[in-house]
Amino acid sequence: MEPEIERESMEYDVVVVGAGPAGLACACKLKQLNSDLNVCVVEKGSEVGAHILSGAVLEPSALSELFPDWREQNAPLHTEVKEDQILLLKSEQSTQQIPGMFAPFTMHNKGNYIVSLGNFCRWLAEQAENLGVEIFPGFAASDLVFDETGAVKGIVTGDMGIAEDGSHKDSYMPGMELHARYTVFAEGCRGHLGKKLIAHFELDEGKEAQHYGIGLKELWKVPKEIHQPGLVVHTAGWPLNETQSQGGGFLYHLEDQQVAVGLIVDLSYSNPWLSPFDEFQRYKHQKDIKKHLEGGERIAYGARAINKGGIQAQPRMFFPGGLLIGDNAGTLNFAKIKGSHTAMKSGMVAAEVIAKNIQADNAPQTLSEFESAYKASWAWKELYQQRNFGPAQHRWGNILGSAYAFIDLNLFRGALPWTLSDPVADHEKLKPAESTEAPNYPKPDGKLSFDKLSSVFISNTNHEEDQPSHLRLTDPAIPLNDNLEKFAEPAQRYCPAGVYEIIENEDGNKRFQINAQNCVHCKTCDIKDPAQNITWLCPEGGGGPNYPNM
Ligand SMILES: Cc1cc2nc3c(=O)[nH]c(=O)nc-3n(C[C@H](O)[C@H](O)[C@H](O)COP(=O)(O)OP(=O)(O)OC[C@H]3O[C@@H](n4cnc5c(N)ncnc54)[C@H](O)[C@@H]3O)c2cc1C
Ligand code: SF4
């Protein structure tokens, strides 16, 4: 039997897991409400922002509540939206512009800003530190700590220096226990501790299946002549319509001749041959997308999952000892393709409830009052209003679904007296490989489109190689039997970083190879594997992408 690891521990009033918009807004608000509170934030990225990937058009509502003087404090919101375009891409060569008045009002971006969410989080972290929050980048929360009553008492940071075979290297350092009166989990979409908490406390009882998309994004530096700072373009249709898949593209012109281009592929797709990465590469060849990129240079690449389930799929957010906030609980408004402002607001409401509880000197308890406080906030109201957007897209497709959304949102402001259901989970949607046709993906041209390896290279992803794989298979046989026979092992295609490969040995036998060091932490494998056989765990802290300003 392995000897029990002796761990040091530190005590806090509140431990926050994840330095994204939700976690940082929560930490700042806690200190604003009570500067005596001991608050710390752990972040698995090597620095704050290193793992943040978003569009991003930021709606500054929550920010203005948290820091009304954000302009004077030089928040990195430099590019106000000047123009919204909504395009229906009928094919590679054909586009129809949708007049703004016919689009769901949630797609209008007047008053919003085009930002790098990574840089925005770096700024938020500075504000948090100025308020006295302790931030520990490079420290992943790898497990939960429970007290004798079964309440969450904190987290364990990951051990460092464990070799692939489990032995301790010279650099071995056991993780620490961080104990808190309350622990707030703000890990973003499909957080691995969030997933554990949902299962442990059955937080999803009576809720619908959560739904997801994978968002692939590149940052380009484009020639001055074609740069239009403040332009926001959203697209539907090609190329996903060719496989009857859903999703949409975005293209945002931000400061310094930069253009963010991306494609969100709905993970409810049914064709196992589909490769979100290759769909994105050909997307950039569409005539009205490539004109924004030609002559430019690609400077960054990455991918991240995004929640789409809405309030029907939101788990209960409170449990003994803590709260689940932001995208970890699915607070994203998919009708706006925005989740930063609602994630921040959920964190701020969490802070108010926790600070009040500590102020009253109550013993740590289940913060059930969070639910009513959150439901009274504008964040929940806007999520309630858009609750039928995602299910309508799944039932009727992007075009008819958007027509329904127009009626529901623009004419009735979400007040229609029903809530559409969307019960089938994304991993259950794949059809057998033999009954579907593989899309024909053209070879990348090296100018607009690229291969996976050169893309992963510019995500600056790095993991210590000699460590246990952070991608665990419950049954190691499944990739080569069930998944291969039925679905031609889709992990080879849905992973945007080329982590999963089926390799044929010289003797003709096949093996399933996991190149864990390439992983960009998007969480798609944890979501889409048809057998739910892959579990994403935190690698050693600091490992993963190093996004400069995604
Ligand atoms: C392609 C794409 C485009 C988008 N476009 C927009 C947009 O235009 N506007 C908008 O408002 N929103 C947009 N979103 C959504 C937005 O990015 C999210 O809603 C928002 O980032 C959620 O904030 P969060 O704090 O909940 O989670 P995140 O931003 O995901 O932050 C979570 C943080 O926690 C860290 N973490 C996770 N697990 C651990 C752990 N166990 N230990 C330590 N640290 C951990 C992560 O490294 C990360 O830094 C987009 C998302 C995607 C993927
Ligand atoms: S291994 Fe999983 S989490 Fe990592 S990049 Fe691939 S799909 Fe995303």
Side-chain angles (χ1 to χ4, degrees):
M1 221 171 88
E2 290 275 314
E4 193 137 305
I5 300 170
E6 289 266 326
R7 295 186 190 279
E8 286 183 29
S9 65
M10 283 168 79
E11 306 291 326
Y12 287 91
D13 291 311
V14 184
V15 168
V16 179
V17 179
L24 290 168
C26 178
C28 289
K29 187 76 193 172
L30 279 164
K31 292 294 278 185
Q32 286 175 343
L33 291 168
N34 181 350
S35 59
D36 292 335
L37 292 178
N38 287 324
V39 181
C40 89
V41 180
V42 289
E43 167 53 51
K44 69 179 165 63
S46 59
E47 52 151 351
V48 172
H51 288 184
I52 298 288
L53 181 140
S54 191
V57 176
L58 183 75
E59 184 173 312
S61 43
L63 172 64
S64 296
E65 279 181 22
L66 188 60
F67 293 109
D69 61 344
W70 57 265
R71 285 184 183 83
E72 293 75 48
Q73 298 304 325
N74 297 320
L77 279 66
H78 303 305
T79 315
E80 197 166 351
V81 176
K82 287 199 187 124
E83 185 186 346
D84 270 311
Q85 287 181 8
I86 299 167
L87 308 179
L88 175 61
L89 309 183
K90 294 175 160 176
S91 70
E92 191 170 349
Q93 295 304 331
S94 165
T95 305
Q96 186 180 340
Q97 182 156 355
I98 309 290
M101 60 186 287
F102 292 129
F105 77 89
T106 48
M107 299 301 287
H108 299 169
N109 284 298
K110 193 162 180 273
N112 296 337
Y113 290 79
I114 307 174
V115 302
S116 146
L117 197 68
N119 285 346
F120 176 64
C121 287
R122 289 178 182 106
W123 178 86
L124 267 183
E126 270 171 37
Q127 310 313 304
E129 283 181 330
N130 291 343
L131 287 162
V133 175
E134 290 176 41
I135 301 185
F136 302 132
F139 285 87
S142 68
D143 214 343
L144 304 164
V145 184
F146 294 95
D147 70 12
E148 59 289 348
T149 68
V152 172
K153 185 175 134 188
I155 53 103
V156 189
T157 64
D159 298 333
M160 309 287 259
I162 297 192
E164 195 177 350
D165 62 6
S167 62
H168 293 178
K169 298 186 276 189
D170 292 347
S171 55
Y172 174 70
M173 226 172 48
M176 284 185 78
E177 288 195 3
L178 302 182
H179 297 167
R181 293 170 77 165
Y182 292 106
T183 311
V184 179
F185 294 85
E187 302 170 278
C189 180
R190 194 74 167 196
H192 94 287
L193 293 181
K195 185 177 157 186
K196 258 190 168 173
L197 287 163
I198 291 169
H200 182 82
F201 290 112
E202 298 177 348
L203 303 177
D204 57 352
E205 201 186 337
K207 309 285 176 171
E208 298 237 315
Q210 182 58 272
H211 294 281
Y212 303 89
I214 172 177
L216 302 113
K217 174 182 168 184
E218 292 174 356
L219 196 63
W220 284 65
K221 181 115 184 171
V222 301
K224 214 174 180 156
E225 316 78 77
I226 62 169
H227 188 226
Q228 303 171 64
L231 174 65
V232 164
V233 182
H234 286 118
T235 72
W238 194 84
L240 293 170
N241 57 358
E242 287 189 354
T243 48
Q244 290 81 51
S245 310
Q246 293 180 11
F250 63 88
L251 198 139
Y252 305 148
H253 285 246
L254 56 166
E255 69 251 28
D256 296 335
Q257 290 169 238
Q258 294 178 94
V259 171
V261 58
L263 184 70
I264 296 179
V265 179
D266 195 319
L267 286 176
S268 67
Y269 69 80
S270 60
N271 185 329
W273 299 105
L274 184 132
S275 158
F277 175 86
D278 292 294
E279 294 289 329
F280 176 42
Q281 293 309 314
R282 60 180 185 148
Y283 172 72
K284 289 177 286 167
H285 285 269
Q286 208 280 346
K287 77 172 174 67
D288 287 301
I289 300 302
K290 74 176 175 191
K291 72 182 186 197
H292 294 272
L293 304 172
E294 271 173 337
E297 184 198 354
R298 185 176 76 141
I299 47 182
Y301 163 82
R304 181 77 174 95
I306 184 168
N307 309 93
K308 306 180 57 229
I311 51 165
Q312 296 91 315
Q314 249 175 45
R316 180 155 60 79
M317 291 161 79
F318 61 88
F319 48 84
L323 294 171
L324 202 61
I325 60 165
D327 278 9
N328 217 356
T331 57
L332 182 128
N333 181 338
F334 199 64
K336 289 185 172 173
I337 331 170
K338 289 184 191 64
S340 309
H341 64 302
T342 42
M344 287 176 74
K345 183 64 183 174
S346 71
M348 289 150 68
V349 175
E352 280 159 12
V353 171
I354 292 172
K356 203 165 157 194
N357 208 275
I358 293 179
Q359 183 83 16
D361 217 13
N362 290 335
Q365 53 187 266
T366 305
L367 296 170
S368 50
E369 63 269 37
F370 173 79
E371 185 150 306
S372 50
Y374 173 59
K375 283 193 173 167
S377 74
W378 54 255
W380 196 84
K381 287 189 183 115
E382 75 166 66
L383 293 173
Y384 179 80
Q385 191 179 50
Q386 68 96 54
R387 70 198 179 284
N388 289 327
F389 183 87
Q393 303 274 323
H394 277 184
R395 278 174 188 223
W396 300 304
N398 279 154
I399 313 294
L400 286 178
S402 297
Y404 171 86
F406 173 83
I407 296 167
D408 191 336
L409 289 169
N410 290 27
L411 305 184
F412 291 93
R413 297 277 146 175
L416 287 171
W418 55 76
T419 295
L420 297 176
S421 159
D422 191 5
V424 183
D426 297 338
H427 70 269
E428 295 177 78
K429 287 282 180 90
L430 286 180
K431 290 182 180 157
E434 60 184 25
S435 70
T436 44
E437 215 170 293
N440 183 15
Y441 295 122
K443 268 204 155 78
D445 68 358
K447 291 185 188 126
L448 281 171
S449 46
F450 305 90
D451 63 17
K452 270 190 193 172
L453 281 187
S454 63
S455 302
V456 176
F457 184 73
I458 57 166
S459 69
N460 302 311
T461 298
N462 189 29
H463 288 94
E464 165 60 50
E465 281 193 27
D466 187 13
Q467 65 170 305
S469 171
H470 68 281
L471 301 157
R472 298 281 166 84
L473 301 179
T474 310
D475 177 353
I478 283 182
L480 290 178
N481 53 41
D482 283 16
N483 274 5
L484 191 58
E485 284 156 23
K486 286 193 207 145
F487 307 114
E489 184 44 271
Q492 300 175 89
R493 294 171 292 281
Y494 61 61
C495 171
V499 168
Y500 300 105
E501 288 181 287
I502 293 206
I503 294 183
E504 196 158 326
N505 297 334
E506 279 174 10
D507 57 11
N509 286 330
K510 292 186 172 125
R511 69 190 159 86
F512 187 58
Q513 180 160 306
I514 303 181
N515 307 309
Q517 66 279 9
N518 283 1
C519 173
V520 295
H521 297 199
C522 74
K523 311 284 179 77
T524 303
C525 50
D526 195 285
I527 297 165
K528 187 65 179 171
D529 180 60
Q532 291 293 279
N533 187 41
I534 303 176
T535 302
W536 190 99
L537 299 166
C538 266
E540 266 190 20
N546 281 287
Y547 297 137
N549 54 342
M550 293 287 263

